[in-house]
Amino acid sequence: MYVCLCNGVTDKAIREAVDGGARSWREVRESTGCATQCGKCACVGKALTHEAVVTT
Ligand code: FES
């Protein structure tokens, strides 16, 4: 599913960023572009990042 409509970032892209070494919401934001425009997706993006980090 799309998490960030502004930049077309999916939940899969967030998991892949974590698999690729991102370990914080800030790093996921930098590598995917999620929440770098309107910011409405920040809450969901952050939650998905934490979930992915915990389960990795
Ligand atoms: Fe992600 Fe706008 S929906 S920055």
Side-chain angles (χ1 to χ4, degrees):
M1 75 175 177
Y2 279 101
V3 175
C4 177
L5 294 179
C6 290
N7 294 318
V9 181
T10 61
D11 57 334
K12 187 174 174 222
I14 290 176
R15 280 196 301 275
E16 285 172 352
V18 172
D19 286 346
R23 281 295 170 269
S24 66
W25 169 227
R26 188 176 142 198
E27 288 175 356
V28 168
R29 278 180 62 173
E30 285 170 2
S31 67
T32 63
C34 189
T36 57
Q37 290 192 47
C38 77
K40 285 183 180 167
C41 57
C43 217
V44 174
K46 196 173 182 178
L48 286 171
T49 297
H50 288 165
E51 187 182 303
V53 168
V54 167
T55 58
T56 298

